[in-house]
Amino acid sequence: MRKLLTAVILFALPLMASAQIENPVKWDFTAKKIDATTYELHMTATVEGKWHLYAQDAGEGPVPTTFKLTKNPLVTPVGKIREVGKLHKAFDKNFDSELKYYENQVDFVQKVTVKGKAATKVKGSVEFMVCDDHQCLPPKEVEFAISVGGK
């Protein structure tokens, strides 16, 4: 009985450990109305523990955080996506490059204008990669839809 219990624990430990670190980033997608036709899209990443999320201009090596917005005839992006958070820059010997990344939280902000008064959605996806001091997780893509316009 003891051998069976030990075997079960040994097989279960790697599964439990990997389940805990599979998704250390939680995304929140919101819109803030600036005026009658202008909105700020806030794509906020909350990063757990010792993990870090790479900037849009990360440096050579890791997959940078990249946003793709689906074309919508009612919505026009204004300028580039801004990063609001504490940017870290450090040389990473694994990638042999100086890298830019965020810890804890970063807010990616895209200003858009909406044509007409109809409610619509800004749809898209974000691709990102996270690492800690010992490992990197494979790049992940998350789809989103943010409501804008209307009353």
Side-chain angles (χ1 to χ4, degrees):
M1 184 67 169
R2 181 180 276 174
K3 288 181 182 178
L4 178 62
L5 184 58
T6 302
V8 168
I9 289 173
L10 287 176
F11 284 114
L13 277 176
L15 292 174
M16 292 186 325
S18 68
Q20 291 176 359
I21 61 168
E22 268 185 31
N23 193 14
V25 179
K26 179 184 176 288
W27 287 94
D28 189 33
F29 303 98
T30 60
K32 179 181 177 186
K33 189 172 186 173
I34 304 300
D35 61 37
T37 60
T38 308
Y39 290 80
E40 281 183 348
L41 307 179
H42 290 265
M43 298 152 292
T44 307
T46 303
V47 185
E48 294 178 4
K50 303 251 183 208
W51 293 96
H52 53 265
L53 172 76
Y54 290 100
Q56 295 175 94
D57 177 21
E60 295 296 319
V63 173
T65 301
T66 307
F67 291 88
K68 295 177 192 163
L69 298 179
T70 305
K71 290 190 186 277
N72 179 336
L74 298 176
V75 179
T76 304
V78 177
K80 295 182 178 182
I81 296 175
R82 294 183 295 118
E83 298 173 355
V84 180
K86 185 177 179 190
L87 180 66
H88 296 270
K89 294 179 187 177
F91 183 81
D92 188 313
K93 64 182 188 246
N94 297 314
F95 291 108
D96 194 30
S97 176
E98 179 163 289
L99 302 178
K100 298 175 189 169
Y101 59 89
Y102 294 93
E103 296 174 337
N104 303 318
Q105 190 170 61
V106 58
D107 190 16
F108 296 92
V109 182
Q110 173 68 64
K111 194 177 279 190
V112 298
T113 57
V114 179
K115 297 175 186 158
K117 295 183 180 184
T120 188
K121 290 185 183 283
V122 177
K123 295 180 181 180
S125 64
V126 56
E127 182 181 26
F128 63 96
M129 182 172 153
V130 292
C131 296
D132 66 9
D133 292 341
H134 306 291
Q135 65 180 327
C136 294
L137 297 181
K140 189 169 187 172
E141 190 168 2
V142 173
E143 293 185 356
F144 60 85
I146 305 171
S147 297
V148 293
K151 55 180 186 164

